Amino acid sequence: MSTERAKAHLAKWGADKKVLEFDVSSATVALAAEALGCEPARIAKTLSFKTPEEKAILIVAAGDVKIDNRKFREYFGFKAKMLSPDEVEPMTGHAVGGVCPFGICEGVMVYLDESLRRFDTVYPAAGGSNTAIELTMDELYEYSSAVSWVDVCKV
């Protein structure tokens, strides 16, 4: 159902036809890179965090980086606290392993990390733990309705 939700969102741009579905799991960066035959850094992982107001925000980052707690706190004004596995689906609209910035719950804000900009295209998930879609940076920004680009990660 989560994949269908993402596809319905992507259909606004005709991009639902670009969604790739695999016979194997792509739920982690390593598994997605293996399924796609690309370097792990090109996997656009979507990380979900809780705000002090108990809302979710999503940060889409390159597969080879981690959140830099200092940069996160400086930018957002609160400590980085990831959603628990039980909170992810109800708060984002997608289950762990398929979280993506497409077809998400209303009010969830999406930010794209600068770590993605070194690539022409990246592969975020598309709602399921066996899905991906190849997008340019402009497509990712538009389709995700991103609030802005941020620099909150480190290699």
Side-chain angles (χ1 to χ4, degrees), residues 49-52 69 72-74 76-82:
F49 295 90
K50 188 185 293 188
T51 70
N69 289 317
F72 185 100
R73 188 173 43 257
E74 285 176 4
F76 290 105
F78 59 90
K79 184 179 177 183
K81 181 181 180 195
M82 293 194 76

Side-chain angles (χ1 to χ4, degrees), residues 63-125:
D64 63 342
V65 300
K66 297 188 296 188
I67 291 294
D68 181 314
N69 289 317
R70 181 190 55 77
K71 287 180 175 182
F72 185 100
R73 188 173 43 257
E74 285 176 4
Y75 185 86
F76 290 105
F78 59 90
K79 184 179 177 183
K81 181 181 180 195
M82 293 194 76
L83 297 180
S84 72
D86 290 341
E87 294 172 318
V88 172
E89 189 167 13
M91 291 182 75
T92 69
H94 299 296
V96 173
V99 178
C100 67
F102 319 116
I104 54 179
C105 293
E106 191 172 329
V108 176
M109 294 191 291
V110 177
Y111 298 86
L112 305 181
D113 189 74
E114 291 287 339
S115 60
L116 297 166
R117 288 200 197 226
R118 61 193 144 133
F119 303 107
D120 292 331
T121 62
V122 292
Y123 295 95

Side-chain angles (χ1 to χ4, degrees), residues 132-145:
I133 182 170
E134 184 176 18
L135 298 173
T136 66
M137 295 310 105
D138 289 341
E139 289 170 331
L140 180 59
Y141 192 87
E142 181 179 359
Y143 302 172
S144 68
S145 301

